[in-house]
């Protein structure tokens, strides 16, 4: 058994099912008792007597929150695109940058050239830094392979990485991220491949992914193509996610509702009808503050979405083109300062709502009896101070499945 | 002697005097040779033979840049104002927050109640984190004391902190930050105190500050009052700085030009006439991207200011009310993504131009023969990648005055 004691403030979403209103329960002077990989109790004051023989972690009066969940990332990639970053600052459009050899295809070329071992080696330090920021569960998408072998290679990298480090990883199949160059003049053949037994079927059979995502956008896959991919995925037991309403409004949110997606992500251009559709279908709205911020464009209307009663999750969208932001705590701060989300809404967005966006709401994202013991111990007094300190790593220690995996409290 | 070898890219502003255009010189496969606290040479390839008996620091193929200079901060403070952060997100104006007991006065109360030892103890970990981000020189303002004893106490804290940690600190006298509550109905008596022999005279005589700053703003000190303070400061050998044109346009930049201030800081509302005035008077424009970002308001027009030929420096404005951002690298990223400054302009802004904004341009802020040996070794391949990685600490090691003061390369 492990007891976390001397907690100045324990802060957790109240209830995984009731995601609106965004309630954070706080307990001052608290403790958490852990047995194996589960929380067995928590409450005010020091732990009960039987904990005398427990291993103890002193929170030093800091705040303790659930381990963070990053529910939308592209963390497996190769190459670096700072040159495009500079070109965009100098005024070139994303389309111009793409014409000059930039864009997703740049990363696709780098990923295709990388071996499985190289992809694993490039991703490990990224995950180590994410863990140091308090992130204990991460969703990772394929989508830079765009061929049978390379999509499998990316998801195989995710599977290997599960064994090599403490973060719990969730694979998402995103072959429908872009039409690869060699299929430019035969789009439907690429959609065939995406939906094929040899690729989608194998991903499902081998358990390489739990979800299937599509970049539904004028420049990527239209609503008809997206529907075809997501319905095929459903047949294979892969639940739908969508990159929806990011740049243009082509009805992607409505499609998300229609196919009963678990989440609709981005939503920078969502309209009132899209919000209503998502709400009625019970789809989680995943907002990606780091992406619009990194691109210097307008954020999704978080207040409108929240005030309409939709549960909002927050992810990093970590990727080398549009969001080189691997810090989920920084995204909480961006949500607060740029989208007028409160620190409570931001914390719910990176814990229980993010867990629900990847089908883990009943196991992670809250501090409650029987939940998995994923905890972050902070060196600040209350959870609001975390969002209030942008760019500072406030993490003192991290517990994953009952095991202390980061501990800075002795340094 | 110390040699830094195996540098993948050495990146430094070209020339301290020529701040426009924003040229960064890069040398691949470089080394730097240090004797005592000075750079004695640098160049391509491995160091010359006589370095056989030198102490060696392996840069691991990373990028090396000059130690960063944070030229505008309020790092000495007490108390925390996350409650105001939440209230502003919920839609309250700064004025409403102030009426409810928030604003600068909140921090003034906390600083007045803190002892000198407490202020030192609160500030030390902040400076330690700033150093870990590659910052080797920091300007710190008074301005939360607003009484004879408390202003002296703040600057005394800065003096003590110089001895307690490696960052070089520069004190700025900012008693004219706000009119304290007890002087609300006798403003001119407070300006008298600010300019008095017993306060301003003592600050100058005891070398507690090098600069005198004024918050020139409709809600703080008008142009007439500011002029009076800054001319008195000049008599005492304290060079002028101004918080200019932040919220309203009352001619603060023109005053900065008139009194030949070393820098005019903020400039969110500067107009064309103000830009011309600063340029003709040779005043450095200090922009504070973290502040407007933290407040969720419009940034200064960096492009207009740069394109007009003004040298631009970047500071954090680290303070508990309007910029709880202690990471200067994050401010570089904000400058790139939100103000369309290039990574080169951002790096010049936190090195040589920032050094010039605090009168140290001939000693720090560049890698050149005879300059002080303040260096940052990064774990990225080139300087552009630093701004391109927001929220990630890319610092592998820090050298201050020839001494290795941060070294993460072994962990």
């Amino acid at each position: 058994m492990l007891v976390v004691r001397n907690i100045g403030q324990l802060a957790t979403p109240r209830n995984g099912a009731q995601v609106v209103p965004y309630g954070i329960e706080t307990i001052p002077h608290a403790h958490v008792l852990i047995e194996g990989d589960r929380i067995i109790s928590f409450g005010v004051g020091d732990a009960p007597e039987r904990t005398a023989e427990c291993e103890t972690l002193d929170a030093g009066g800091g705040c303790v929150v659930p381990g963070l969940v990053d529910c939308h990332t592209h963390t497996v990639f190769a190459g670096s695109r700072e040159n495009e970053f500079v070109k965009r600052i100098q005024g070139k459009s994303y389309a111009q940058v793409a014409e000059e050899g930039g864009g997703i295809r740049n990363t696709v070329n780098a990923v295709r050239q990388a071996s499985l071992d190289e992809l694993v080696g490039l991703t490990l330090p990224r995950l180590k830094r994410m863990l140091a920021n308090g992130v204990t569960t991460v969703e990772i998408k394929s989508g830079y392979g765009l061929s049978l072998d390379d999509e499998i290679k990316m998801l195989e990298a995710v599977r290997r990485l599960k064994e090599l480090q403490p973060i719990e990883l969730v694979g998402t199949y995103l072959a429908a991220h872009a039409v690869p160059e060699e299929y430019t003049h035969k789009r439907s053949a690429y959609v065939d491949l995406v939906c094929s037994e040899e690729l989608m079927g194998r991903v499902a059979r081998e358990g390489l992914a739990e979800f299937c995502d599509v970049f539904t956008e004028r420049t990527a896959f239209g609503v008809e193509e997206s529907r075809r991919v997501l319905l095929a995925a459903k047949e294979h037991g892969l639940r739908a996610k969508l990159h929806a309403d990011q740049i243009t409004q082509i009805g992607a949110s409505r499609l998300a509702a229609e196919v009963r997606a678990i989440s609709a992500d981005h939503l920078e251009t969502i309209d009132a009808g899209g919000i209503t559709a998502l709400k009625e279908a019970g789809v989680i709205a995943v907002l990606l503050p780091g992406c619009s911020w990194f691109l210097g464009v307008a954020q999704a209307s978080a207040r409108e979405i929240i005030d309409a009663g939709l549960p909002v999750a927050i992810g990093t969208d970590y990727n080398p083109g549009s969001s080189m932001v691997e810090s989920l705590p920084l995204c909480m701060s961006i949500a607060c300062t740029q989208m007028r989300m409160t620190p409570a809404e931001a914390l719910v967005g990176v814990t229980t709502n993010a867990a629900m966006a990847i089908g883990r709401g009943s196991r992670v994202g809250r501090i409650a009896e029987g939940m998995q013991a994923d905890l972050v111990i902070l060196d600040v007094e209350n959870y609001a101070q975390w969002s209030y300190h942008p760019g500072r790593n406030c993490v003192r220690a991290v517990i994953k499945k009952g095991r202390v995996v980061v501990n800075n409290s002795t340094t």
Side-chain angles (χ1 to χ4, degrees), chain A:
Chain A
M1 285 208 296
L2 169 66
V3 60
V4 184
R5 54 171 294 283
N6 193 19
I7 298 172
Q9 179 189 70
L10 184 150
T12 179
R14 276 182 210 281
N15 190 326
Q18 183 203 340
V19 289
V20 178
Y22 296 81
I24 290 285
E25 180 178 5
T26 60
I27 304 175
H29 313 299
H31 72 273
V32 179
L33 196 60
I34 295 165
E35 185 156 13
D37 64 353
R38 297 283 148 172
I39 295 166
I40 55 172
S41 68
F42 68 102
V44 180
D46 267 337
E49 286 173 28
R50 61 174 171 151
T51 61
E53 66 262 49
C54 283
E55 187 189 347
T56 294
L57 184 67
D58 188 330
C63 179
V64 170
V65 299
L68 304 194
V69 177
D70 194 344
C71 62
H72 182 131
T73 89
H74 307 256
T75 304
V76 171
F77 63 85
S80 181
R81 286 159 59 187
E82 73 275 10
N83 289 345
E84 296 177 30
F85 179 69
V86 175
K87 283 181 184 174
R88 278 193 291 99
I89 290 168
Q90 289 171 335
K92 294 202 171 163
S93 70
Y94 197 84
Q96 283 174 306
V97 168
E99 274 168 30
E100 295 173 14
I104 287 177
R105 283 176 185 175
N106 190 327
T107 302
V108 171
N109 290 338
V111 165
R112 286 180 175 181
Q113 282 163 32
S115 69
L116 173 58
D117 284 347
E118 283 166 343
L119 285 182
V120 169
L122 287 166
T123 308
L124 259 179
R126 296 174 193 146
L127 292 172
K128 188 178 175 185
R129 294 190 298 263
M130 292 165 99
L131 185 70
N133 274 311
V135 178
T136 52
T137 306
V138 173
E139 186 255 21
I140 303 181
K141 302 177 196 295
S142 69
Y144 294 130
L146 309 187
S147 74
L148 195 154
D149 289 347
D150 295 306
E151 285 292 303
I152 296 289
K153 180 174 70 180
M154 285 191 72
L155 292 171
E156 194 66 57
V158 174
R159 175 149 72 185
R160 281 223 209 152
L161 286 158
K162 290 179 185 176
E163 311 303 320
L164 296 173
Q165 51 75 53
I167 294 179
E168 182 173 343
L169 302 181
V170 179
T172 293
Y173 173 59
L174 178 63
H177 193 198
V179 176
E181 217 159 348
E182 60 275 21
Y183 282 90
T184 304
H185 302 294
K186 39 179 183 166
R187 298 179 60 88
S188 71
Y190 186 64
V191 177
D192 290 344
L193 174 65
V194 172
C195 300
S196 67
E197 270 309 306
E198 62 182 336
L199 181 43
M200 183 184 279
R202 180 170 164 196
V203 166
R205 274 193 309 279
E206 298 187 6
L208 288 168
E210 298 175 39
F211 302 100
C212 176
D213 196 348
V214 175
F215 188 15
T216 305
E217 182 60 64
R218 212 177 288 280
T219 55
F221 296 88
V223 168
E224 284 301 316
E225 292 168 327
S226 302
R227 182 184 287 116
R228 201 184 137 205
V229 172
L230 295 171
L231 292 181
K234 194 174 188 180
E235 295 289 312
H236 285 92
L238 299 171
R239 194 156 175 202
K241 282 180 167 284
L242 281 88
H243 283 64
D245 301 347
Q246 181 184 5
I247 306 165
T248 56
Q249 178 50 249
I250 60 167
S253 294
R254 288 172 184 76
L255 177 63
E258 176 195 321
V259 300
R260 290 285 187 271
I262 192 164
S263 72
D265 302 29
H266 273 293
L267 308 184
E268 286 84 346
T269 66
I270 196 169
D271 56 14
I275 292 175
T276 304
L278 292 185
K279 190 178 177 193
E280 285 173 0
V283 181
I284 305 275
V286 175
L287 304 187
L288 305 166
C291 175
S292 294
W293 178 77
F294 189 82
L295 294 174
V297 300
Q299 294 282 356
S301 300
R303 283 261 57 89
E304 192 183 341
I305 296 168
I306 291 171
D307 294 344
L310 266 177
V312 164
I314 292 174
T316 58
D317 196 17
Y318 183 30
N319 80 81
S322 62
S323 184
M324 199 63 177
V325 179
E326 64 191 18
S327 166
L328 195 53
L330 179 57
C331 292
M332 292 167 62
S333 293
I334 298 173
C336 291
T337 61
Q338 310 304 301
M339 303 167 87
R340 296 194 47 230
M341 287 178 69
T342 63
E345 289 165 344
L347 183 60
V348 169
V350 296
T351 54
T352 191
N353 284 5
M356 291 175 78
I358 53 171
R360 279 158 171 73
S362 61
R363 178 156 57 82
V364 302
R366 284 184 297 133
I367 299 173
E369 280 178 31
M371 296 289 279
Q372 190 166 291
D374 295 357
L375 300 176
V376 184
I377 294 105
L378 302 172
D379 66 4
V380 289
E381 294 164 11
N382 59 63
Y383 73 87
Q385 287 185 349
W386 200 5
S387 295
Y388 167 71
H389 281 107
R392 170 180 157 198
N393 188 344
C394 299
V395 173
R396 185 173 276 157
V398 180
I399 295 172
K400 179 64 185 179
K401 292 185 179 172
R403 202 160 59 85
V404 180
V405 289
V406 171
N407 194 344
N408 300 319
S409 55
T410 51
T411 61

